[in-house]
Amino acid sequence: MMFITGRKSINVKNFLIQAVFLFVVILVVASAFTSARTNLAELGISSGFSFLERATGWGYAFSLFESSINDPYKWTLFSGFANTLFLGLITIMTSTILGFIVGSARDSNNITIQAITALFIQLFRNIPLILQVVFWYAVLIHMPSPKQAYNMFDVAFLSNRGLMIPSFNVSPVLIFSLFVLLMLYWLLKERLLILRNASAKWFYGCIIFGVALYLLFCVEGNLFSVPSLKGLRFVGGTTVPVELITMIIACTLYGAAYIAEIVRGGLNEVPKGLVEAGNSLGLNERMVWFRIKLPMALRTIIPPLGNQWVFMMKATTVGVAIGFSDLFMLVSTSITQSGQTLELIAILMMAFLLINISIAQLVHHLNSRMALKGH
């Protein structure tokens, strides 16, 4: 009885200490916020988020959505957020695929392949990312003009204006929304296990019905658009700007060099006894890699791979060096034009916090699914 009473006393004491500490932290933050508002008011600088409703009065080069100089700050910042997310997801996918290829080749017994992959890793891992971005940008802006563009089977063209590719004549918002819906369903399908069959049919049925309605009533002209040269420029299709191509190439090569080392380290952790057991069962080298080495290595690869994905997302801010319209660049321009420094930096920090926490949760989910039962 005395032990229980003493235990309760310790718990109450710990609770009071934590409550006092939390109160002090809140008091310090509130004091700093009040002091900052007072100082800004004395300098004649307004604070708050009402500026988000004002028109920016300036434009930017790349956006996944329609944009103009009359857009309010909130739409411009959302567009920058979408550009950052778009670039980050593309480079994460491409660098992961290339990193797995290079890392697997690094594990090969062929000395020539080992030397080539080692050179790739040392070359792109040891040169600063911003330097690689500037290099690839210089290469791309010195490409031929649209009239002398590189022709790829009459469906795609590469020039100093960017890469012109065929596209569907549908809104990017629809494509982005479908991608988000599929990702949400993939993440939540385990929690819908009881209703799995019914929910899956309902989910895919709604998507197919919605896409069919959109294609039937909202698409004007041809569904498929191919770029063609008209005078001094291309019309039709989609133009991928030079800045976006540069960021994809530089971030992919830089990230793949790190991911390749992560993959090689994971493959080296696979016990040799398992590989020898596979060989003794008559499995060839490809089957041993797919059925034994890769599944075992993934349990070691995924945690550091998640850290690399978070880094890749943060690396998109380097695009400001070449004028790519990501969230960091649009926030920087907004600070210059509106003077709302603290509010805009807070928005930028919260946006990256949201993205990177989501990636961390995704990695945790993958890690949980790959974990061996009982371990």
Side-chain angles (χ1 to χ4, degrees):
M1 187 67 179
M2 290 180 62
F3 173 77
I4 295 175
T5 305
R7 186 71 181 172
K8 285 184 177 178
S9 176
I10 293 173
N11 290 338
V12 170
K13 183 180 177 182
N14 291 336
F15 174 77
L16 289 175
I17 291 174
Q18 293 176 22
V20 170
F21 179 75
L22 181 62
F23 177 74
V24 171
V25 170
I26 293 174
L27 191 64
V28 170
V29 172
S31 300
F33 181 73
T34 305
S35 177
R37 290 196 64 174
T38 304
N39 293 334
L40 289 172
E42 290 177 353
L43 293 173
I45 301 174
S46 61
S47 59
F49 293 91
S50 59
F51 74 97
L52 293 174
E53 302 295 335
R54 298 202 310 258
T56 58
W58 45 270
Y60 43 96
F62 174 74
S63 174
L64 294 172
F65 314 106
E66 291 185 6
S67 63
S68 72
I69 61 173
N70 297 319
D71 291 335
Y73 276 96
K74 62 181 181 183
W75 179 253
T76 301
L77 295 176
F78 175 75
S79 181
F81 178 78
N83 291 350
T84 294
L85 200 59
F86 180 69
L87 173 62
L89 291 177
I90 286 180
T91 54
I92 283 174
M93 286 190 290
T94 52
S95 61
T96 302
I97 293 171
L98 183 60
F100 266 81
I101 293 173
V102 176
S104 303
R106 187 93 169 86
D107 190 54
S108 168
N109 295 324
N110 189 305
I111 296 177
T112 304
I113 294 177
Q114 282 189 8
I116 293 173
T117 52
L119 177 64
F120 173 87
I121 292 170
Q122 295 302 325
L123 179 64
F124 292 106
R125 193 177 62 168
N126 293 315
I127 297 177
L129 176 59
I130 191 168
L131 194 56
Q132 296 188 41
V133 168
V134 173
F135 170 76
W136 289 113
Y137 186 64
V139 170
L140 290 172
I141 61 175
H142 286 88
M143 287 280 177
S145 63
K147 290 195 72 172
Q148 289 82 35
Y150 294 114
N151 188 339
M152 290 174 272
F153 308 106
D154 288 332
V155 294
F157 304 88
L158 180 63
S159 73
N160 57 6
R161 303 285 180 84
L163 178 65
M164 280 62 73
I165 56 175
S167 66
F168 288 102
N169 190 20
V170 297
S171 168
V173 178
L174 175 67
I175 299 173
F176 183 75
S177 301
L178 289 174
F179 176 77
V180 172
L181 284 173
L182 289 172
M183 288 297 295
L184 284 175
Y185 179 76
W186 182 72
L187 290 173
L188 299 175
K189 66 180 182 181
E190 292 295 332
R191 298 186 180 183
L192 299 173
L193 188 60
I194 298 175
L195 303 174
R196 193 168 187 172
N197 293 331
S199 63
K201 291 177 181 177
W202 175 84
F203 180 79
Y204 290 115
C206 288
I207 288 181
I208 293 172
F209 183 69
V211 171
L213 285 179
Y214 180 87
L215 295 177
L216 186 62
F217 295 106
C218 300
V219 175
E220 299 178 356
N222 296 326
L223 177 62
F224 201 64
S225 175
V226 178
S228 60
L229 185 64
K230 300 290 184 185
L232 298 177
R233 66 188 184 91
F234 283 91
V235 295
T238 296
T239 300
V240 184
V242 171
E243 291 80 9
L244 179 58
I245 300 173
T246 300
M247 289 301 297
I248 291 174
I249 294 174
C251 291
T252 298
L253 295 175
Y254 188 74
Y258 280 91
I259 292 174
E261 282 297 89
I262 294 173
V263 172
R264 185 181 68 85
L267 293 173
N268 286 342
E269 291 293 324
V270 178
K272 291 183 179 178
L274 292 177
V275 177
E276 292 172 355
N279 292 329
S280 65
L281 291 173
L283 300 179
N284 57 34
E285 189 173 349
R286 184 175 64 85
M287 294 178 70
V288 167
W289 193 89
F290 277 105
R291 293 177 180 270
I292 298 177
K293 295 191 75 173
L294 182 61
M296 295 299 296
L298 281 177
R299 294 171 176 83
T300 307
I301 290 172
I302 286 177
L305 185 62
N307 294 334
Q308 187 62 31
W309 287 351
V310 171
F311 173 79
M312 294 295 298
M313 190 60 73
K314 291 186 286 189
T316 58
T317 56
V318 177
V320 72
I322 57 171
F324 177 68
S325 308
D326 70 330
L327 182 59
F328 184 76
M329 179 189 167
L330 294 182
V331 165
S332 302
T333 308
S334 299
I335 289 174
T336 305
Q337 297 293 328
S338 68
Q340 306 291 331
T341 306
L342 294 178
E343 293 85 352
L344 286 164
I345 289 179
I347 291 173
L348 180 63
M349 293 170 64
M350 291 303 297
F352 273 102
L353 194 61
L354 176 65
I355 294 173
N356 290 332
I357 286 178
S358 301
I359 293 176
Q361 290 299 315
L362 174 63
V363 173
H364 176 71
H365 178 73
L366 291 175
N367 206 25
S368 300
R369 295 197 61 174
M370 294 299 300
L372 293 174
K373 293 182 179 178
H375 289 75

